[in-house]
Amino acid sequence: MKKISHGLGIVLICLLGKVYGAKVEISSLRELAFHAAQSGNEITLSPGVYQLVDFLTADSMQARRERGMFQFITFSG
């Protein structure tokens, strides 16, 4: 009985780790946008310079500016 409850405890801990997200190290704004939109991830940016033009084209930035959409990456909890 102890072995079964111990095994279930380990499975539960593993599942909770999946539900609450993961530690993610990223190296691009595209990865940042993807992981930031998901809840529970602990995100670390690799050292470097991140330019918005690597993530959005000049045309899409102009269209956003004209629509008054000034937020480029959305973060959730």
Side-chain angles (χ1 to χ4, degrees):
M1 186 67 172
K2 280 187 176 182
K3 288 182 182 182
I4 292 173
S5 62
H6 182 70
L8 288 175
I10 291 173
V11 169
L12 181 60
I13 289 171
C14 292
L15 289 175
L16 286 175
K18 296 290 184 189
V19 169
Y20 287 108
K23 291 184 179 184
V24 180
E25 184 170 345
I26 61 171
S27 59
S28 74
L29 291 179
R30 188 166 310 283
E31 288 176 297
L32 174 61
F34 175 77
H35 289 290
Q38 301 173 5
S39 293
N41 288 323
E42 183 178 319
I43 299 171
T44 304
L45 288 166
S46 299
V49 176
Y50 296 90
Q51 297 183 3
L52 197 53
V53 295
D54 293 338
F55 176 64
L56 297 169
T57 65
D59 292 337
S60 68
M61 288 173 60
Q62 179 63 33
R64 286 173 165 269
R65 198 173 10 246
E66 290 170 359
R67 291 189 308 251
M69 295 177 63
F70 300 108
Q71 184 174 345
F72 293 105
I73 298 176
T74 303
F75 293 86
S76 69

